[in-house]
Amino acid sequence: MTVKLVTLKTDKTLMATIGEDQTLPGAIILKEPVQIVIVPPRSQTDSGGIAFLPFLDYCEEFKTGIVISPNDILTVTTPQRELLNQYN
């Protein structure tokens, strides 16, 4: 399992430890996923940034793995080192 960025067709980008689901070809399992949200600047001197919001953290599968259908996935990419360090 490895940490990846998963962009859904709904334009949400999630970061999670992912693995393959054996029951649904092409589906992936997301463990402890967080949604990446852009935070706009609050003033002229603020550059803005990003925030991590837990994604479906109240479901029982949050820690064990949430299955995402391949029909809902737009891309799976590798996060930049700085983003990965913030996630860890």
Side-chain angles (χ1 to χ4, degrees), residues 11-49:
D11 203 28
K12 290 185 180 189
T13 298
L14 309 174
M15 188 173 202
T17 302
I18 70 167
E20 292 184 21
D21 182 45
Q22 302 302 316
T23 61
L24 182 61
I28 60 173
I29 299 173
L30 305 176
K31 290 189 178 181
E32 298 183 0
V34 294
Q35 182 178 346
I36 298 175
V37 179
I38 304 298
V39 178
R42 297 180 187 170
S43 67
Q44 289 182 343
T45 58
D46 184 19
S47 62

Side-chain angles (χ1 to χ4, degrees), residues 20-81:
E20 292 184 21
D21 182 45
Q22 302 302 316
T23 61
L24 182 61
I28 60 173
I29 299 173
L30 305 176
K31 290 189 178 181
E32 298 183 0
V34 294
Q35 182 178 346
I36 298 175
V37 179
I38 304 298
V39 178
R42 297 180 187 170
S43 67
Q44 289 182 343
T45 58
D46 184 19
S47 62
I50 62 164
F52 295 122
L53 300 175
F55 182 75
L56 300 175
D57 60 331
Y58 294 108
C59 70
E60 291 183 15
E61 294 85 358
F62 181 76
K63 295 235 183 240
T64 58
I66 299 168
V67 178
I68 302 291
S69 167
N71 296 330
D72 296 322
I73 300 169
L74 182 64
T75 63
V76 177
T77 56
T78 304
Q80 293 179 348
R81 175 63 55 196

